[in-house]
Amino acid sequence: MTKEFTKEKINNLASTLLFAVSDDEVEIVLDELEFLKSKMDNISHIKNIMDYEIQTHPFDLYETSLREDDSSEEGTDVNLLLANAKNTQNREIEVPKVVG
Amino acid sequence: MALKVVIGLEMHCELKTISKVFSKSKNEYNDLPNRVVGPVDMAFPGTLPLLNKEAVKNSIKMAMCLNCTIPEVLIFDRKNYFYPDLPKGYQITQNTSPIGVNGKIEVEVGDELIPITIHDIHLEEDTASLDHYFDYSLIDYNRAGVPLLEIVTDPCIYSPDTAVAFLEHLRNIYKYTGASDADTKKGQIRCDVNVSLMEEGSNVLGTKVEVKNVNSFSNVHAAILYEIDRQTKLIESGCQDEIIQETRRWDDETLSTVRMREKVESVDYKYYVDPNIPKIKIDKKWLDEIKKEIPMLPLERKKLYIEKYNLPAYDAGVIIKTKENSDYFEECLNLGIDPKEAANWITSQIMGYLNKYNLEINEFYLTPQRLFKIIEPLNKGEISSKQAKELFFKVLEDEDEPEVLIKKYGMKQLDNDDELNKIITTILNNNKTQVEGYKAGKTNMFDYFVGQVMKETKGKANPVKVKEILLKNLV
């Protein structure tokens, strides 16, 4: 079976989304996209699929009351906030420089 | 070939609220990194956004001021992109049903009113801020989740002056409505500027270049001028192919725009409706209440000041420059000060003082009540205009009440007939040659005598009385 997705296509998509993928990651993404594609193909067999309104929420309800802006909370302890970060420096998370 | 510049603006402004737009963390600037951050702002798993009512209200106010259509139902969308300032991997914003669409306002540029059409206004969360170093960046999430309103114009602006006038007008509306402090010094306003050139008379837009994150209005002006010059030179030298759709940034050091990235294809943000935020129905009654809270806006006030109070357009323009100035003026009128008199004091003495000491009118010691206590004795003839000006500065120097200082510095105007008669008689006796000259037809000598009396009384003499007595004595 001819695959719909190619390495070149994945790299182009990644570039459009402004990130880079390694060769190993491309293989993973290729498999995942093929799987998703097969699911989409199943869905597209449903009759008059284009006539259905896109479901955005599980229930067709509207919110009418919003959160009152009458108070605020103290910030969370910075040690807890940064506990899972790989690299930190002076209360901040350190990441490789990406200017975009 | 005559070329015309076409500009579209995107103005981002942080809204004034107590808490952030989707979390209860404080919405306030903090020097200490990651001080006002909670789990929602850092997208910890299991957290959910809860929309802030005040942020929606402030956004609706702005939509109303810009005459936008406000939808019955608000919807929030996810804008997906991958960048370290975005902890969720997407930004909550509005795409499907923003808070305002199809707006229109007029801005004053010189003597002209220029129409500007608004494509849409949408409420979103601000991103974290990044500090870039040589080979790494640090992330501070204090700004993540601050309510941010983006106002997008159509490509309908045709000069850098109009672009800046529009931005200044918007900043004023933010301040007048209290929707934001709109302080560029605190980074609360950032602009993206889209600039293209088209042939005069053509209806085909040229290739658009976007200059991102310009953080001051003077830089917006400079960036547009730079792009006009750069693109014009390319077109005139036959290199128009080198004008490509791209994103650039303004560089403060080189005073030029610098390429950030080329838009080979436009970035696909894969917008979709955020299922974590229910669709919000806006109550008509709430809209009516919000409308009532909107104060009279700057251009309406200017019109009123010119038409009702006969102020010169220049004075009215100075007064409406900020809401605080305008409120000060209106408070003066409420106290019974004559509009022209209040305007004169504000545009000359008060503005001069505020500019000299870099003060805002709301931190000015001389309140409208204190100004009234200077103007009232002046109008009653109890102090002279010279004394009133001295009193103005004494009040500010001593930080005391005008009535106390009038007594303290003996500022009562001299209007006792006997005393003035005595002084004038002495002056006329000492200036016999000038008196003879006056009687021989040199009428301009009259002002000389008035001046002598003022000199003798150190400016305290009532000028009206002085003139009366002089006329009698010179017959």
Side-chain angles (χ1 to χ4, degrees), chain A residues 16-17 19 56-57 60 62-63 66-69 71-76 78 81 89 91-95 97-100, chain B residues 17-20 23-24 26 33-35 37 50-53 83 133 136-140 260 268 274-275 277 279-281:
Chain A
T16 311
L17 291 166
F19 64 90
T56 56
H57 295 82
D60 202 12
Y62 293 102
E63 186 71 76
L66 298 170
R67 175 172 61 85
E68 293 292 338
D69 185 45
S71 63
S72 61
E73 288 170 357
E74 288 301 320
T76 305
V78 72
L81 290 175
Q89 198 184 115
R91 300 178 60 93
E92 291 181 84
I93 294 179
E94 184 187 315
V95 291
K97 187 176 179 181
V98 194
V99 180
Chain B
T17 54
I18 294 168
S19 61
K20 291 185 178 179
S23 82
K24 287 200 90 174
K26 280 188 169 65
N34 293 315
R35 178 70 191 84
V37 182
L50 266 180
L51 183 59
N52 183 333
K53 189 175 181 181
Y83 198 62
Y133 297 91
Y136 67 90
S137 303
L138 295 179
I139 317 174
D140 173 10
M260 283 169 76
D268 185 349
D274 191 329
I277 304 173
K279 288 179 266 186
I280 298 131
K281 200 162 237 175

Short mmCIF file of all heavy atoms in Angstrom, two decimals, chain A residues 16-17 19 56-57 60 62-63 66-69 71-76 78 81 89 91-95 97-100, chain B residues 17-20 23-24 26 33-35 37 50-53 83 133 136-140 260 268 274-275 277 279-281:
data_model
loop_
_atom_site.label_atom_id
_atom_site.label_comp_id
_atom_site.label_asym_id
_atom_site.label_seq_id
_atom_site.Cartn_x
_atom_site.Cartn_y
_atom_site.Cartn_z
N THR A 16 6.66 24.40 8.71
CA THR A 16 5.54 25.36 8.75
C THR A 16 5.13 25.65 10.18
O THR A 16 4.75 26.77 10.53
CB THR A 16 4.34 24.80 7.96
OG1 THR A 16 4.79 24.34 6.72
CG2 THR A 16 3.25 25.83 7.79
N LEU A 17 5.20 24.64 11.03
CA LEU A 17 4.82 24.81 12.43
C LEU A 17 5.98 25.32 13.28
O LEU A 17 5.87 25.41 14.50
CB LEU A 17 4.31 23.48 13.00
CG LEU A 17 2.97 23.01 12.45
CD1 LEU A 17 2.72 21.56 12.81
CD2 LEU A 17 1.84 23.88 12.96
N PHE A 19 9.03 24.06 13.99
CA PHE A 19 9.93 23.25 14.82
C PHE A 19 10.61 22.20 13.96
O PHE A 19 10.20 21.91 12.83
CB PHE A 19 9.22 22.66 16.04
CG PHE A 19 8.12 21.67 15.76
CD1 PHE A 19 8.40 20.31 15.66
CD2 PHE A 19 6.81 22.09 15.63
CE1 PHE A 19 7.38 19.40 15.44
CE2 PHE A 19 5.80 21.20 15.40
CZ PHE A 19 6.07 19.85 15.30
N THR A 56 -17.99 21.07 19.17
CA THR A 56 -16.85 21.67 19.88
C THR A 56 -16.91 21.37 21.38
O THR A 56 -15.89 21.43 22.04
CB THR A 56 -16.85 23.19 19.68
OG1 THR A 56 -18.11 23.70 20.12
CG2 THR A 56 -16.59 23.55 18.24
N HIS A 57 -18.08 21.13 21.88
CA HIS A 57 -18.23 20.89 23.31
C HIS A 57 -19.11 19.66 23.51
O HIS A 57 -19.97 19.38 22.68
CB HIS A 57 -18.90 22.09 24.00
CG HIS A 57 -18.05 23.32 23.95
ND1 HIS A 57 -18.02 24.15 22.84
CD2 HIS A 57 -17.19 23.86 24.85
CE1 HIS A 57 -17.17 25.15 23.07
NE2 HIS A 57 -16.66 24.99 24.28
N ASP A 60 -24.44 20.95 24.45
CA ASP A 60 -24.79 22.19 23.76
C ASP A 60 -25.34 23.20 24.77
O ASP A 60 -26.51 23.56 24.72
CB ASP A 60 -25.80 21.88 22.65
CG ASP A 60 -25.77 22.98 21.60
OD1 ASP A 60 -24.85 23.80 21.64
OD2 ASP A 60 -26.69 23.01 20.76
N TYR A 62 -24.67 26.85 27.22
CA TYR A 62 -23.94 28.12 27.24
C TYR A 62 -23.63 28.51 28.67
O TYR A 62 -24.44 28.29 29.57
CB TYR A 62 -24.79 29.23 26.60
CG TYR A 62 -25.01 29.02 25.14
CD1 TYR A 62 -26.22 28.53 24.67
CD2 TYR A 62 -24.00 29.30 24.23
CE1 TYR A 62 -26.42 28.33 23.31
CE2 TYR A 62 -24.19 29.10 22.88
CZ TYR A 62 -25.41 28.62 22.43
OH TYR A 62 -25.59 28.42 21.09
N GLU A 63 -22.49 29.12 28.85
CA GLU A 63 -22.13 29.67 30.15
C GLU A 63 -22.74 31.06 30.23
O GLU A 63 -22.68 31.83 29.26
CB GLU A 63 -20.60 29.77 30.22
CG GLU A 63 -20.04 30.19 31.55
CD GLU A 63 -20.17 29.12 32.62
OE1 GLU A 63 -19.41 28.15 32.60
OE2 GLU A 63 -21.08 29.29 33.46
N LEU A 66 -19.71 34.33 34.78
CA LEU A 66 -18.25 34.29 34.65
C LEU A 66 -17.61 34.46 36.03
O LEU A 66 -18.26 34.91 36.97
CB LEU A 66 -17.79 35.39 33.71
CG LEU A 66 -18.31 35.29 32.29
CD1 LEU A 66 -18.00 36.57 31.52
CD2 LEU A 66 -17.69 34.11 31.57
N ARG A 67 -16.31 34.16 36.10
CA ARG A 67 -15.60 34.30 37.39
C ARG A 67 -15.46 35.78 37.75
O ARG A 67 -14.96 36.57 36.95
CB ARG A 67 -14.21 33.66 37.27
CG ARG A 67 -13.33 33.84 38.50
CD ARG A 67 -12.05 33.04 38.40
NE ARG A 67 -11.22 33.42 37.27
CZ ARG A 67 -10.35 34.43 37.28
NH1 ARG A 67 -10.20 35.17 38.37
NH2 ARG A 67 -9.63 34.72 36.21
N GLU A 68 -15.93 36.15 38.95
CA GLU A 68 -15.82 37.54 39.39
C GLU A 68 -14.34 37.87 39.65
O GLU A 68 -13.60 37.04 40.18
CB GLU A 68 -16.61 37.76 40.69
CG GLU A 68 -18.11 37.62 40.54
CD GLU A 68 -18.75 38.72 39.69
OE1 GLU A 68 -18.14 39.79 39.56
OE2 GLU A 68 -19.86 38.48 39.16
N ASP A 69 -13.97 39.07 39.29
CA ASP A 69 -12.57 39.50 39.46
C ASP A 69 -12.44 40.26 40.78
O ASP A 69 -12.03 41.42 40.79
CB ASP A 69 -12.18 40.39 38.27
CG ASP A 69 -10.72 40.78 38.29
OD1 ASP A 69 -9.88 39.90 38.53
OD2 ASP A 69 -10.42 41.97 38.05
N SER A 71 -10.87 39.11 43.68
CA SER A 71 -9.70 38.81 44.51
C SER A 71 -8.65 38.09 43.67
O SER A 71 -8.94 37.67 42.55
CB SER A 71 -10.10 37.91 45.68
OG SER A 71 -10.56 36.68 45.18
N SER A 72 -7.47 37.96 44.24
CA SER A 72 -6.43 37.23 43.53
C SER A 72 -5.69 36.35 44.53
O SER A 72 -5.82 36.54 45.74
CB SER A 72 -5.48 38.19 42.84
OG SER A 72 -4.87 39.00 43.81
N GLU A 73 -4.91 35.43 44.01
CA GLU A 73 -4.18 34.52 44.90
C GLU A 73 -2.69 34.82 44.82
O GLU A 73 -2.19 35.26 43.79
CB GLU A 73 -4.42 33.07 44.46
CG GLU A 73 -5.81 32.59 44.78
CD GLU A 73 -6.14 31.25 44.13
OE1 GLU A 73 -5.30 30.72 43.38
OE2 GLU A 73 -7.25 30.76 44.38
N GLU A 74 -2.01 34.55 45.94
CA GLU A 74 -0.54 34.69 45.95
C GLU A 74 0.05 33.69 44.97
O GLU A 74 -0.53 32.62 44.75
CB GLU A 74 0.00 34.43 47.35
CG GLU A 74 -0.31 35.53 48.36
CD GLU A 74 0.23 36.89 47.95
OE1 GLU A 74 1.36 36.94 47.42
OE2 GLU A 74 -0.48 37.89 48.14
N GLY A 75 1.18 33.99 44.41
CA GLY A 75 1.84 33.06 43.50
C GLY A 75 2.26 31.78 44.21
O GLY A 75 2.53 31.79 45.41
N THR A 76 2.31 30.70 43.46
CA THR A 76 2.76 29.42 44.02
C THR A 76 4.27 29.50 44.32
O THR A 76 5.00 30.21 43.61
CB THR A 76 2.48 28.31 42.99
OG1 THR A 76 1.09 28.36 42.66
CG2 THR A 76 2.82 26.93 43.53
N VAL A 78 7.96 29.21 44.20
CA VAL A 78 8.75 29.05 42.98
C VAL A 78 9.46 27.69 42.93
O VAL A 78 9.65 27.11 41.86
CB VAL A 78 9.72 30.24 42.80
CG1 VAL A 78 10.86 30.16 43.81
CG2 VAL A 78 10.24 30.32 41.39
N LEU A 81 6.98 25.38 41.50
CA LEU A 81 6.75 25.68 40.08
C LEU A 81 7.86 25.10 39.20
O LEU A 81 7.61 24.62 38.10
CB LEU A 81 6.68 27.19 39.85
CG LEU A 81 5.47 27.94 40.39
CD1 LEU A 81 5.65 29.44 40.17
CD2 LEU A 81 4.19 27.49 39.69
N GLN A 89 17.63 28.60 36.45
CA GLN A 89 18.66 29.58 36.82
C GLN A 89 17.96 30.76 37.46
O GLN A 89 17.05 31.35 36.84
CB GLN A 89 19.39 30.04 35.53
CG GLN A 89 20.72 30.68 35.83
CD GLN A 89 21.37 31.22 34.56
OE1 GLN A 89 21.56 32.42 34.43
NE2 GLN A 89 21.70 30.35 33.62
N ARG A 91 15.49 31.42 39.69
CA ARG A 91 14.01 31.42 39.69
C ARG A 91 13.40 31.23 38.30
O ARG A 91 12.20 31.35 38.13
CB ARG A 91 13.45 32.74 40.28
CG ARG A 91 13.83 33.03 41.71
CD ARG A 91 13.26 34.37 42.14
NE ARG A 91 11.82 34.37 42.06
CZ ARG A 91 11.01 34.08 43.07
NH1 ARG A 91 11.51 33.76 44.24
NH2 ARG A 91 9.70 34.09 42.89
N GLU A 92 14.21 31.00 37.28
CA GLU A 92 13.63 30.88 35.93
C GLU A 92 14.01 29.55 35.29
O GLU A 92 15.00 28.93 35.67
CB GLU A 92 14.11 32.03 35.05
CG GLU A 92 13.53 33.37 35.48
CD GLU A 92 13.98 34.51 34.60
OE1 GLU A 92 13.36 34.73 33.56
OE2 GLU A 92 14.94 35.19 34.98
N ILE A 93 13.19 29.14 34.30
CA ILE A 93 13.51 27.93 33.56
C ILE A 93 14.46 28.29 32.43
O ILE A 93 14.27 29.30 31.74
CB ILE A 93 12.22 27.29 32.98
CG1 ILE A 93 11.33 26.80 34.14
CG2 ILE A 93 12.56 26.13 32.04
CD1 ILE A 93 10.02 26.18 33.70
N GLU A 94 15.51 27.46 32.30
CA GLU A 94 16.49 27.71 31.24
C GLU A 94 16.20 26.77 30.07
O GLU A 94 16.00 25.58 30.26
CB GLU A 94 17.89 27.45 31.79
CG GLU A 94 18.98 27.78 30.81
CD GLU A 94 20.36 27.35 31.33
OE1 GLU A 94 20.68 27.61 32.51
OE2 GLU A 94 21.08 26.73 30.54
N VAL A 95 16.15 27.34 28.89
CA VAL A 95 15.90 26.54 27.68
C VAL A 95 16.92 26.93 26.60
O VAL A 95 17.50 28.01 26.67
CB VAL A 95 14.47 26.78 27.11
CG1 VAL A 95 13.41 26.21 28.02
CG2 VAL A 95 14.22 28.25 26.83
N LYS A 97 18.39 28.53 23.37
CA LYS A 97 17.94 29.79 22.75
C LYS A 97 17.27 29.51 21.40
O LYS A 97 17.83 28.86 20.54
CB LYS A 97 19.14 30.70 22.53
CG LYS A 97 18.77 32.08 22.06
CD LYS A 97 20.01 32.93 21.97
CE LYS A 97 19.69 34.32 21.47
NZ LYS A 97 20.90 35.14 21.37
N VAL A 98 16.01 29.97 21.30
CA VAL A 98 15.29 29.86 20.03
C VAL A 98 14.67 31.22 19.80
O VAL A 98 13.73 31.59 20.48
CB VAL A 98 14.11 28.84 20.09
CG1 VAL A 98 13.62 28.50 18.71
CG2 VAL A 98 14.47 27.62 20.89
N VAL A 99 15.20 32.00 18.89
CA VAL A 99 14.60 33.31 18.63
C VAL A 99 13.77 33.19 17.37
O VAL A 99 14.27 32.82 16.32
CB VAL A 99 15.67 34.40 18.48
CG1 VAL A 99 15.03 35.74 18.20
CG2 VAL A 99 16.52 34.49 19.72
N GLY A 100 12.47 33.44 17.47
CA GLY A 100 11.61 33.30 16.30
C GLY A 100 10.62 34.41 16.21
O GLY A 100 10.56 35.26 17.08
N THR B 17 -7.09 44.41 35.41
CA THR B 17 -7.92 43.52 36.23
C THR B 17 -7.14 43.20 37.49
O THR B 17 -5.94 43.46 37.57
CB THR B 17 -8.20 42.18 35.50
OG1 THR B 17 -6.95 41.61 35.11
CG2 THR B 17 -9.09 42.34 34.28
N ILE B 18 -7.83 42.59 38.46
CA ILE B 18 -7.13 42.17 39.68
C ILE B 18 -6.39 40.86 39.43
O ILE B 18 -5.24 40.70 39.80
CB ILE B 18 -8.15 42.02 40.85
CG1 ILE B 18 -8.75 43.39 41.19
CG2 ILE B 18 -7.49 41.41 42.08
CD1 ILE B 18 -9.94 43.34 42.12
N SER B 19 -7.07 39.94 38.77
CA SER B 19 -6.45 38.63 38.53
C SER B 19 -6.28 38.40 37.03
O SER B 19 -6.79 39.17 36.21
CB SER B 19 -7.31 37.53 39.14
OG SER B 19 -8.59 37.51 38.55
N LYS B 20 -5.58 37.34 36.69
CA LYS B 20 -5.31 37.06 35.27
C LYS B 20 -6.57 36.61 34.54
O LYS B 20 -7.62 36.41 35.16
CB LYS B 20 -4.19 36.02 35.17
CG LYS B 20 -2.84 36.57 35.64
CD LYS B 20 -1.71 35.59 35.42
CE LYS B 20 -0.38 36.20 35.86
NZ LYS B 20 0.74 35.27 35.70
N SER B 23 -6.92 32.63 35.29
CA SER B 23 -6.55 32.09 36.61
C SER B 23 -6.69 33.19 37.65
O SER B 23 -6.85 34.37 37.32
CB SER B 23 -5.11 31.59 36.59
OG SER B 23 -4.21 32.66 36.77
N LYS B 24 -6.58 32.79 38.94
CA LYS B 24 -6.73 33.79 40.00
C LYS B 24 -5.38 34.40 40.42
O LYS B 24 -5.31 35.14 41.40
CB LYS B 24 -7.42 33.17 41.22
CG LYS B 24 -8.91 32.93 41.00
CD LYS B 24 -9.67 32.78 42.28
CE LYS B 24 -10.17 34.12 42.76
NZ LYS B 24 -11.04 34.03 43.94
N LYS B 26 -2.36 36.98 40.56
CA LYS B 26 -2.39 38.45 40.48
C LYS B 26 -2.01 38.94 39.09
O LYS B 26 -1.03 38.47 38.52
CB LYS B 26 -1.38 39.04 41.46
CG LYS B 26 -1.81 39.09 42.88
CD LYS B 26 -0.75 39.87 43.68
CE LYS B 26 -1.23 40.21 45.06
NZ LYS B 26 -1.46 39.11 45.96
N PRO B 33 11.22 37.34 39.05
CA PRO B 33 10.67 36.38 38.09
C PRO B 33 9.84 35.30 38.78
O PRO B 33 10.13 34.89 39.89
CB PRO B 33 11.92 35.76 37.44
CG PRO B 33 13.03 36.70 37.73
CD PRO B 33 12.69 37.39 39.01
N ASN B 34 8.80 34.86 38.09
CA ASN B 34 7.93 33.77 38.55
C ASN B 34 7.39 34.00 39.96
O ASN B 34 7.36 33.08 40.78
CB ASN B 34 8.67 32.44 38.44
CG ASN B 34 8.92 32.09 36.98
OD1 ASN B 34 8.02 32.21 36.15
ND2 ASN B 34 10.14 31.70 36.65
N ARG B 35 6.96 35.23 40.23
CA ARG B 35 6.42 35.60 41.54
C ARG B 35 4.88 35.55 41.53
O ARG B 35 4.27 35.23 42.53
CB ARG B 35 6.90 37.02 41.90
CG ARG B 35 6.38 37.57 43.21
CD ARG B 35 7.01 36.84 44.38
NE ARG B 35 6.34 37.18 45.64
CZ ARG B 35 5.24 36.60 46.09
NH1 ARG B 35 4.66 35.65 45.37
NH2 ARG B 35 4.71 36.95 47.25
N VAL B 37 2.64 33.64 39.69
CA VAL B 37 2.36 32.51 38.79
C VAL B 37 1.69 31.39 39.57
O VAL B 37 2.08 31.09 40.70
CB VAL B 37 3.69 31.98 38.18
CG1 VAL B 37 3.41 30.83 37.21
CG2 VAL B 37 4.45 33.08 37.47
N LEU B 50 -10.61 29.48 33.88
CA LEU B 50 -11.90 30.06 34.30
C LEU B 50 -11.90 31.53 33.90
O LEU B 50 -11.10 32.31 34.42
CB LEU B 50 -12.06 29.95 35.82
CG LEU B 50 -12.80 28.74 36.37
CD1 LEU B 50 -12.86 28.80 37.88
CD2 LEU B 50 -14.23 28.68 35.80
N LEU B 51 -12.77 31.89 33.00
CA LEU B 51 -12.72 33.21 32.38
C LEU B 51 -13.09 34.34 33.35
O LEU B 51 -14.09 34.26 34.06
CB LEU B 51 -13.67 33.23 31.16
CG LEU B 51 -13.71 34.49 30.33
CD1 LEU B 51 -12.34 34.84 29.77
CD2 LEU B 51 -14.71 34.33 29.18
N ASN B 52 -12.27 35.39 33.34
CA ASN B 52 -12.42 36.55 34.23
C ASN B 52 -13.48 37.51 33.66
O ASN B 52 -13.37 37.99 32.53
CB ASN B 52 -11.05 37.24 34.30
CG ASN B 52 -11.02 38.42 35.23
OD1 ASN B 52 -12.04 39.07 35.45
ND2 ASN B 52 -9.84 38.71 35.76
N LYS B 53 -14.50 37.78 34.47
CA LYS B 53 -15.61 38.64 34.02
C LYS B 53 -15.16 40.07 33.69
O LYS B 53 -15.60 40.67 32.71
CB LYS B 53 -16.68 38.68 35.12
CG LYS B 53 -17.97 39.33 34.71
CD LYS B 53 -19.00 39.21 35.82
CE LYS B 53 -20.31 39.84 35.40
NZ LYS B 53 -21.31 39.76 36.48
N TYR B 83 6.59 27.22 20.98
CA TYR B 83 7.59 28.20 21.36
C TYR B 83 7.67 28.21 22.88
O TYR B 83 6.66 28.02 23.55
CB TYR B 83 7.19 29.59 20.80
CG TYR B 83 8.34 30.58 20.76
CD1 TYR B 83 9.46 30.32 19.99
CD2 TYR B 83 8.31 31.73 21.52
CE1 TYR B 83 10.52 31.19 19.97
CE2 TYR B 83 9.37 32.62 21.51
CZ TYR B 83 10.48 32.34 20.72
OH TYR B 83 11.54 33.21 20.71
N TYR B 133 19.97 35.05 26.18
CA TYR B 133 21.40 35.23 26.43
C TYR B 133 22.16 34.59 25.27
O TYR B 133 21.55 34.23 24.26
CB TYR B 133 21.77 34.62 27.79
CG TYR B 133 21.05 35.35 28.90
CD1 TYR B 133 19.79 34.91 29.34
CD2 TYR B 133 21.58 36.52 29.45
CE1 TYR B 133 19.10 35.62 30.32
CE2 TYR B 133 20.89 37.21 30.44
CZ TYR B 133 19.64 36.76 30.87
OH TYR B 133 18.97 37.46 31.82
N TYR B 136 21.40 30.50 25.48
CA TYR B 136 20.22 29.98 26.20
C TYR B 136 19.24 31.12 26.46
O TYR B 136 19.59 32.30 26.31
CB TYR B 136 20.65 29.30 27.51
CG TYR B 136 21.21 30.25 28.55
CD1 TYR B 136 20.38 30.86 29.48
CD2 TYR B 136 22.58 30.55 28.58
CE1 TYR B 136 20.88 31.73 30.43
CE2 TYR B 136 23.09 31.42 29.52
CZ TYR B 136 22.23 32.01 30.45
OH TYR B 136 22.73 32.89 31.38
N SER B 137 18.03 30.75 26.85
CA SER B 137 17.02 31.75 27.20
C SER B 137 16.42 31.38 28.55
O SER B 137 16.37 30.20 28.91
CB SER B 137 15.91 31.78 26.15
OG SER B 137 16.43 32.04 24.87
N LEU B 138 15.96 32.40 29.29
CA LEU B 138 15.30 32.16 30.57
C LEU B 138 13.83 32.55 30.45
O LEU B 138 13.50 33.56 29.82
CB LEU B 138 15.97 32.97 31.68
CG LEU B 138 17.43 32.60 32.00
CD1 LEU B 138 17.97 33.51 33.11
CD2 LEU B 138 17.56 31.13 32.42
N ILE B 139 12.96 31.74 31.07
CA ILE B 139 11.52 32.00 30.96
C ILE B 139 10.96 32.49 32.29
O ILE B 139 11.11 31.84 33.32
CB ILE B 139 10.73 30.74 30.56
CG1 ILE B 139 11.45 29.96 29.45
CG2 ILE B 139 9.31 31.09 30.13
CD1 ILE B 139 10.79 28.63 29.12
N ASP B 140 10.30 33.65 32.21
CA ASP B 140 9.59 34.21 33.37
C ASP B 140 8.10 34.17 33.03
O ASP B 140 7.65 34.79 32.06
CB ASP B 140 10.08 35.65 33.59
CG ASP B 140 9.31 36.38 34.66
OD1 ASP B 140 8.52 35.72 35.38
OD2 ASP B 140 9.48 37.61 34.80
N MET B 260 13.16 38.61 10.38
CA MET B 260 13.08 37.54 11.39
C MET B 260 12.87 36.20 10.68
O MET B 260 13.57 35.25 10.89
CB MET B 260 11.89 37.77 12.33
CG MET B 260 12.14 38.83 13.37
SD MET B 260 10.61 39.25 14.22
CE MET B 260 10.40 37.85 15.30
N ASP B 268 0.81 27.92 10.00
CA ASP B 268 -0.50 27.32 10.22
C ASP B 268 -0.71 27.13 11.72
O ASP B 268 -0.06 26.29 12.35
CB ASP B 268 -0.54 25.97 9.48
CG ASP B 268 -1.91 25.36 9.56
OD1 ASP B 268 -2.75 25.86 10.33
OD2 ASP B 268 -2.14 24.37 8.85
N ASP B 274 -11.69 25.98 21.76
CA ASP B 274 -11.20 25.37 22.99
C ASP B 274 -12.36 24.68 23.71
O ASP B 274 -13.28 25.35 24.18
CB ASP B 274 -10.58 26.45 23.90
CG ASP B 274 -9.81 25.83 25.06
OD1 ASP B 274 -10.21 24.72 25.50
OD2 ASP B 274 -8.83 26.42 25.51
N PRO B 275 -12.31 23.35 23.80
CA PRO B 275 -13.44 22.65 24.44
C PRO B 275 -13.48 22.83 25.95
O PRO B 275 -14.47 22.49 26.59
CB PRO B 275 -13.18 21.18 24.07
CG PRO B 275 -11.73 21.09 23.78
CD PRO B 275 -11.26 22.44 23.35
N ILE B 277 -13.43 25.69 27.47
CA ILE B 277 -14.13 26.93 27.82
C ILE B 277 -15.52 26.90 27.17
O ILE B 277 -15.62 26.90 25.93
CB ILE B 277 -13.36 28.19 27.36
CG1 ILE B 277 -11.95 28.15 27.95
CG2 ILE B 277 -14.09 29.46 27.77
CD1 ILE B 277 -11.04 29.25 27.44
N LYS B 279 -19.10 27.90 25.62
CA LYS B 279 -19.52 29.08 24.85
C LYS B 279 -20.24 30.03 25.82
O LYS B 279 -20.98 29.57 26.69
CB LYS B 279 -20.47 28.65 23.72
CG LYS B 279 -19.74 27.90 22.61
CD LYS B 279 -20.68 27.46 21.52
CE LYS B 279 -21.14 26.05 21.76
NZ LYS B 279 -21.95 25.49 20.66
N ILE B 280 -19.97 31.30 25.66
CA ILE B 280 -20.51 32.26 26.65
C ILE B 280 -21.58 33.13 26.02
O ILE B 280 -21.33 33.82 25.02
CB ILE B 280 -19.37 33.16 27.20
CG1 ILE B 280 -18.36 32.28 27.91
CG2 ILE B 280 -19.89 34.23 28.13
CD1 ILE B 280 -16.95 32.55 27.50
N LYS B 281 -22.77 33.08 26.60
CA LYS B 281 -23.87 33.92 26.09
C LYS B 281 -23.80 35.27 26.80
O LYS B 281 -23.75 35.33 28.03
CB LYS B 281 -25.20 33.22 26.37
CG LYS B 281 -26.31 33.73 25.49
CD LYS B 281 -27.46 32.76 25.44
CE LYS B 281 -27.74 32.35 24.02
NZ LYS B 281 -28.76 31.33 23.89
#
